[in-house]
Amino acid sequence: MESLNDFEIAILKAMHSRNVYGAKHIRLEKIMKSGFPTHLYGEAKKAIYSLMKRSFVVYAKKSKNAIQLNQALSAEIKEVIRQDYDSP
């Protein structure tokens, strides 16, 4: 698996902390703005789309323009987050 950049890890952490799996979903704009300064919204959006290409994040079925974490990859997502907390 390719390594994730800091923005991608931050997006995963923000969504995982909100437990956005399964039936839950969050608007793309809301997660893009969670904890990022306004001048970095573009980088956050690129990170979200990169995570979508890697299947960590998927579109929610219930709402247009809403996303959720891929429940099938929850173990890998938790491992990425755990490794980030363990690194210096």
Side-chain angles (χ1 to χ4, degrees):
M1 178 175 74
E2 296 178 35
S3 64
L4 302 173
N5 66 32
D6 293 336
F7 283 103
E8 293 167 340
I9 293 171
I11 297 290
L12 288 177
K13 283 182 182 178
M15 292 180 74
H16 178 74
S17 69
R18 290 176 173 86
N19 200 24
V20 185
Y21 291 95
K24 295 182 180 179
H25 59 276
I26 192 165
R27 302 274 306 166
L28 181 68
E29 296 83 20
K30 183 166 181 155
I31 199 66
M32 190 173 71
K33 295 178 181 180
S34 63
F36 295 106
T38 56
H39 68 280
L40 294 177
Y41 286 173
E43 291 296 322
K45 191 171 187 176
K46 286 179 189 176
I48 291 169
Y49 286 123
S50 174
L51 289 168
M52 290 175 108
K53 286 180 184 175
R54 297 176 183 186
S55 298
F56 284 111
V57 175
V58 294
Y59 279 111
K61 295 176 184 172
K62 293 183 177 183
S63 177
K64 188 175 183 180
N65 207 19
I67 57 175
Q68 63 190 31
L69 292 170
N70 189 345
Q71 198 165 11
L73 297 178
S74 64
E76 291 180 36
I77 292 169
K78 290 174 186 174
E79 180 65 23
V80 167
I81 292 170
R82 187 188 62 76
Q83 286 178 357
D84 185 60
Y85 281 125
D86 291 345
S87 67

